[in-house]
Amino acid sequence: MQVKRVAVIGCGTMGAGVTHVAAEHGYEVSVVEAGPAAAEAALRRVDDSLQRTVSRGRLTQAGAAAALDRVTMTTDLEAIADADLVIEAVFEDVALKCDVLGEVDRITAPDVMIASNTSTIPLVILAGATRRPESIVGCHFFNPVPAMKLVEVIRTPTSRPEHVAAFADFATALGKTPVVVNDVPGFVGNLLIVPYLLDAIRAFERGVADKESIDEVIKLGFNHPMGPFALSDLIGLDIVHDMAASMYEEYKDPRYSPPPLLKQYVRLGWLGRKSGRGFYSYNR
Ligand SMILES: NC(=O)c1ccc[n+]([C@@H]2O[C@H](COP(=O)([O-])OP(=O)(O)OC[C@H]3O[C@@H](n4cnc5c(N)ncnc54)[C@H](O)[C@@H]3O)[C@@H](O)[C@H]2O)c1
């Protein structure tokens, strides 16, 4: 199957990035947001994202304008009816995602591929909200979508191999590198990166070294662009916490249990870059 028309539901951080990249690569994109104000903000997010790419010299102003022309913003879910790929990117909330996917199932033709962008929710739960679990694949784009090359494409035991392959082809057409992984909590990326981040926090709690030194060891010793504390602040400490809690719930392995210091920072509202303070302080 070949993707021509894409629908994106939920145009926040991830949805806007996916919309930008799909429109930049020539796809017509119908975007559905929750209400008029959210839709207006979402269109601005897509425009800002395109303009950032222009300012980095990777897209012309005319290219950005043409891409924005390919985006149709609406609050009417029925607008997804003619899409051949629907990407759901609403909040990481199981009940909300199940609701939305049930509606997508009702509105779209039976052979339309439905992809859910989730960080940690098992795809089989989301697929179960539809009458065609075989049409559901997971996609895990990375933030910021225009810059990050990787897309994890998640297959469940019931996903149709043609859909998994078609989504991987779509990701390739967006200039991304798809990696197909099975539907396990955390997929591959978060399964490996979350315990690493938590181990760094535990080492700091135990007084092994201060956070700056731990970051320096990882940067200089292993050639990572940033250390675990800078990375946690970038991801958002609430997100790191929630991913860890959700994997702990599934695996009951203490490696995934959020350490007390992380819980405390989240309770204080010290969420990292987005709140101006996390492990480090940021001028906003
Ligand atoms: N932010 C990240 O770094 C990141 C990375 C990978 C995956 N994800 C996953 O991607 C998904 C989206 O995350 P995000 O960070 O973009 O969230 P976000 O909060 O930035 O955006 C969610 C958007 O969904 C919209 N929305 C909510 N209910 C809706 C509805 N019923 N219909 C239409 N739109 C609706 C909201 O108005 C909002 O604009 C989540 O499942 C998240 O776990 C996020």
Side-chain angles (χ1 to χ4, degrees), residues 9-15 32-34 38 45 89-92 96-97 100 117-119 140-141 143:
I9 306 173
C11 192
T13 307
M14 301 307 286
V32 185
E33 253 296 343
R45 251 190 308 277
V90 301
F91 303 127
E92 184 83 343
L96 173 65
K97 281 188 188 284
V100 168
N117 195 67
T118 173
S119 308
H140 187 215
F141 283 89
N143 185 20

Side-chain angles (χ1 to χ4, degrees), residues 89-173:
V90 301
F91 303 127
E92 184 83 343
D93 174 314
V94 181
L96 173 65
K97 281 188 188 284
C98 285
D99 249 26
V100 168
L101 291 170
E103 284 297 289
V104 173
D105 182 22
R106 178 183 66 75
I107 294 167
T108 54
D111 57 338
V112 167
M113 173 167 48
I114 305 170
S116 177
N117 195 67
T118 173
S119 308
T120 54
I121 300 172
L123 259 301
V124 290
I125 296 179
L126 303 177
T130 72
R131 292 162 303 174
R132 45 173 148 146
E134 68 285 355
S135 299
I136 313 296
V137 297
C139 57
H140 187 215
F141 283 89
F142 285 68
N143 185 20
V145 177
M148 301 297 281
K149 289 283 170 219
L150 177 65
V151 182
E152 288 181 301
V153 182
I154 297 107
R155 69 175 158 220
T156 74
T158 57
S159 300
R160 280 173 60 192
E162 307 89 284
H163 279 167
V164 175
F167 196 90
D169 288 347
F170 171 69
T172 305

Side-chain angles (χ1 to χ4, degrees), residues 73-272:
M73 185 69 64
T74 175
T75 57
D76 179 8
L77 198 57
E78 303 290 330
I80 67 174
D82 64 350
D84 32 35
L85 165 63
V86 178
I87 301 175
E88 170 280 305
V90 301
F91 303 127
E92 184 83 343
D93 174 314
V94 181
L96 173 65
K97 281 188 188 284
C98 285
D99 249 26
V100 168
L101 291 170
E103 284 297 289
V104 173
D105 182 22
R106 178 183 66 75
I107 294 167
T108 54
D111 57 338
V112 167
M113 173 167 48
I114 305 170
S116 177
N117 195 67
T118 173
S119 308
T120 54
I121 300 172
L123 259 301
V124 290
I125 296 179
L126 303 177
T130 72
R131 292 162 303 174
R132 45 173 148 146
E134 68 285 355
S135 299
I136 313 296
V137 297
C139 57
H140 187 215
F141 283 89
F142 285 68
N143 185 20
V145 177
M148 301 297 281
K149 289 283 170 219
L150 177 65
V151 182
E152 288 181 301
V153 182
I154 297 107
R155 69 175 158 220
T156 74
T158 57
S159 300
R160 280 173 60 192
E162 307 89 284
H163 279 167
V164 175
F167 196 90
D169 288 347
F170 171 69
T172 305
L174 301 186
K176 306 296 179 197
T177 301
V179 175
V180 176
V181 303
N182 290 323
D183 183 25
V184 299
F187 314 129
V188 172
N190 289 330
L191 183 75
L192 299 186
I193 206 75
V194 169
Y196 153 76
L197 298 176
L198 302 185
D199 275 346
I201 297 169
R202 287 188 197 103
F204 176 46
E205 277 178 329
R206 284 204 308 272
V208 172
D210 58 37
K211 54 188 186 295
E212 291 81 0
S213 303
I214 295 174
D215 272 357
E216 204 68 349
V217 167
I218 294 298
K219 272 194 327 195
L220 301 184
F222 299 93
N223 249 350
H224 285 207
M226 64 184 87
F229 294 98
L231 179 57
S232 296
D233 277 357
L234 180 68
I235 295 171
L237 301 192
D238 52 337
I239 306 277
V240 175
H241 174 277
D242 291 352
M243 289 193 293
S246 144
M247 284 191 271
Y248 180 69
E249 180 58 30
E250 185 75 15
Y251 296 117
K252 294 290 186 298
D253 179 335
R255 279 189 308 159
Y256 297 102
S257 172
L261 187 67
L262 177 63
K263 288 187 189 167
Q264 186 185 53
Y265 277 25
V266 172
R267 287 176 187 138
L268 286 165
W270 296 354
L271 306 182

